[in-house]
Amino acid sequence: MADFVQQVVSGLASGGVYGSLALALVLIHRATGVINFAQGEMATFSTYILWTLTANHGWSYWPAFVVTLLVSFAGGIGIHELVIRPVERGSVLRIVIVTIGLLLLINGAMTWIWTGEVRYVQGPFPTRTIDIGGVAISLQDIGTIAVSIGTVGLLWLFFQFTRVGLAMRAAAVNPAEARLVGVRVTWMLGLGWGLAAVLGAVSGMLTAPSTILDPSMMQVVLIYAFAAAVLGGIDSPVGAVVGGLLIGVGLNLLGAYVDFIGSSLQLPAALAIILVVLMVRPAGIFGRREVKKV
Amino acid sequence: MSVARACLALVAVLAIGSTAALAGTATGVGDPGVTPTSVLLGGTTSLTGSASQFSAMAVGADAYFRYVNAKGGVNGRSITYRYLDDASTAANALQRTRELVEQEHVFAIFNTLGTEPNLSIRPYLSSGKVPQLFAASGDTSFGRDYEQYPTTIGFQPTYTAEGWVLGKYLARSAPGAKVAVLFQNDAYGKDLFNGLRKGLERSKTRVIAAQPYEAGSVDVGAQMTKLKASEADTFVSFAMPKTTVQAFMLAGKLGWKPKRVITSALSSSSSVMQQASQGGTNRVVEGAVSIAFLKDPTDSEWKSEASMKLYGQIMKQYAPDADATDVSHVYGMAVAWTTVEALSKVGKDLTRASLLKVVDNLNAPGNPFLLPGITVKTSGADRYPIDQMLLQRWRKGTWKSFGGLWGYRAP
Amino acid sequence: MRVRRSTLRALALFAVLTAVVVVLPHFVSDFRAQQFAYVGIYLTALIGLNVLTGYTGQISLGHGAFMAVGGYTTAILMADHGVKDVWTIPIAAAVAGVAGLLFGLPAVRLSGLYLALATFAIAVATPTVIKRFDGFTGGGSGINLFGKPELTASLTPVEIFGLKLNFNNWLYALSWTVALIAYVLAWLLLRGRTGRAFRAVRDSETAAVSSGVNLALYKTLAFGISAAFAGAAGALFAIATTFVNPDTFPVALSIFLLVGVVVGGLGSLAGLIAGAVFIQFMPLWAQSVSSSAGAPTVVYGVFLILVMFVLPGGFAGLLGRLESLTRRGYDRSSGS
């Protein structure tokens, strides 16, 4: 039983990471209709910034964390402005290729700047376990869950209760009408990319302490994030988070208790989820079903 | 679809083709890649990809060759070592190797990194009678299959030998211990594991739990949970560096502190151990044991020793941007030193055949970069250049070798 | 009258292409010929992907998986069943085609980004699936074909029509023969009803259905056909690299195939050739710009983005613009 609880808790922690990245994907998709294949690389890049500040320049964790978020925010807006805006109105295919180009660019840049050598990022949470009702729960897991929920929560508050948040939602749902009421749609799109970059950065910085930092760190996480976004509904922010938690806990439990899956088939299991959901109910759990009648 | 458009495209294709300015050394009389004043070695390594931390082996070898060239080379020849990126994949390794042989016209393929890359290029090189020198992999087949592939030879102790030594060590030092093993599910991990089991034969020490993980995967949470649940008192990790770090961090997170910890040589570099110990906060790693055959740059025992001083000087002069504390550079110099020895023994008349002859019957003691007492030796049926090693223990942020020399004879 | 002109044009184009292909090896080195062989292989795959993406408007980020099906079919047939390499190609194409149909049928409901995601999932899953069935596929160590008697010319040159071809030249001849056959097959297929149906699906699925086009049939067919071409390309790939293991067909391959089709320019042969050349030579060119670790990837990424900015129609679009410029010039000079 203790084992089960441990698995659920660590599943929730991974789920928080997947959910944050999935939320980033959903934000961008809702706003610009683009699937940003480079989201994972952007997250890794942000994590490298954190590493540079803490390991190379000796900053303490939380100031570095905040600065990284700010830099990521600016970076997200910058990327949208420089790279996405010129092709935003074009065909889906063109935008896909551009985000792929972005993926390569950022990935190569990380290897070039920081080399492929493995780095270690010390997390802000102690690596001890504490005893809750007889079960040893990792403090790091609890911290990760707290930060991801906190970030998502802050974002929700922002969207629900601020004018800018309202404007962003309007721009995403109906850009033409939003313009009519004075919303600067292009700014909102850029803002969306900035916030997505922040979410990605959080996801990356939460991932790093339990694994190692190298240019490929978020590649697998991105796939889990895709699975979460698809499962939850690619246009649903709530879906992204719920999807992430489901995937995190589900895969952990599957890996621990279903021997056939073991831990070597967790990734294919996630991919199978993507395929099955897309085939059976493309809109996901929370998405709106598109009905095409002829 | 217009004719003109297609013609333009095809002209472009032709243009690219005809600007085929090929470098490559002039193939004079005799074997390619060798002239009276130079010899060209080529190989692939992982500048990018999952094994990129081991590209330091190529960097170290290259630095040593430059140092030797500066002192006049070998028998009047300067050694050029061209290494290309295979992104840690066998398919790319084969492609780049073909490029090195057919376009760059190298004399020999040297120091190619990785078991699968070396296996994938072996038949090709063998059929072209191109030497596959000192393959950077501990896979047994490179020494075992010499009759079928006489042009191939390895260098480091095989994984089987390593596992066997560790098994014997456990059997002698911890009789009755209960061992849990995490191993990579490929030839590397399985060879180590089988060697370990052989070493533990007829002893009271038992393997009570073993968990494989897929090569390339880093997430070993489920495996570590199961190993902890086995209540073993000894944890053996036969994994790649990234996964090793993960495994130890997870052990700490799960609250598992086995009495004895063993890690594979490939994952024993100081940076890996530092990361696994999470800056010292993770006590699982303290006292970990591993085998060693190279002098570790962070080991205080060798700091003032002439050979490691030379190592430091060569690194500073020829590879100033590299991290000199990474023992993979020492590996590179060790294998480069051996190559220089072999080349000098061949003499003025350097051909592929004459080099192979020397390499197959090599006796090269005194390699300054190997631990004292370890000799590079091959002969008739023994095509394993290094089969001796020492044990070392990780204490307070550094490795310390202990005990006597261990040797392994392949059956 | 119109139909005949386009047929004449196509024939003339084909003749020119064949002539160039035949003549090229005399101008380039042996090793370069091998690189051009790969251009032919990628061209075959791109011709197939073009049927799906250019003509039917379906995005696939997973065609590397179909190449893997073809490649492994070839490798297994050659290694375990002693089939000569050339005969494995049509079999590999058929097997991959079936795989394409099997995927296409349930995927009918998907389009646009959802399809891209689904095919991406297939591409990512492929190496893992290959490793899982290792009894069959040789797992991580793969299947080595070099030196096997079924592999033509790998050890001794082969004689064809009185010409002695070593391995690289034989590869070149084989892959371009297949590419040219693929082109002819695609052309025949697309000029008829099937092609029109495909284009109708691309232009508007709703409109196509209202005009009576069986969406499920044609979308599935497009997948099957394009997968068959990819399978043939995969077979050639296995023959050329003489070795298959899960890394031979990584996710990057699927991505680069789509990149090749878009950068080259959807829908035109010139574009596809440019795309194939791009896939083969761009990484090498990027490395020559800078070989420090990571830099070639950056160059590749930047180049990709710039091409999408400046040439939305790919290289074929560029050629089209050049062509219309020269035509305008011609019209002007002839006095209008």
Side-chain angles (χ1 to χ4, degrees), chain C residues 156-175:
Chain C
T156 53
V158 69
E159 262 216 47
I160 297 192
F161 305 133
L163 281 170
K164 222 178 182 168
L165 296 172
N166 70 4
F167 189 54
N168 290 333
N169 289 321
W170 152 250
L171 273 181
Y172 178 90
L174 179 64
S175 67

Side-chain angles (χ1 to χ4, degrees), chain B residues 321-384:
Chain B
D321 294 326
D323 174 16
T325 64
D326 187 346
V327 68
S328 296
H329 295 112
V330 183
Y331 176 97
M333 295 213 191
V335 70
W337 183 94
T338 311
T339 308
V340 168
E341 275 293 293
L343 286 172
S344 71
K345 285 209 170 111
V346 174
K348 273 263 146 213
D349 181 23
L350 182 59
T351 64
R352 287 171 170 171
S354 65
L355 177 64
L356 284 172
K357 210 160 160 205
V358 164
V359 163
D360 290 340
N361 261 293
L362 192 58
N363 189 348
N367 189 321
F369 306 103
L370 298 177
L371 289 169
I374 298 184
T375 304
V376 177
K377 197 157 188 289
T378 58
S379 69
D382 171 21
R383 300 300 175 88
Y384 302 98

Side-chain angles (χ1 to χ4, degrees), chain A residues 3 116 118 120 122 127 129 138 140-141 209-210 212 214 263-264 266, chain B residues 52 214 218-219 222-223 225-226 242 245-246 249 253-254 275 278 323:
Chain A
D3 190 38
V118 163
Y120 172 66
Q122 189 135 28
T127 51
T129 57
S138 152
Q140 202 170 46
D141 280 346
S210 32
I212 41 279
D214 80 336
S263 25
S264 54
Q266 271 185 337
Chain B
S52 59
E214 291 306 306
V218 179
D219 182 15
Q223 288 93 333
T225 311
K226 294 207 182 99
K242 294 184 199 182
V245 171
Q246 252 278 37
M249 288 205 260
K253 230 171 102 168
L254 291 169
Q275 289 167 14
Q278 292 175 247
D323 174 16

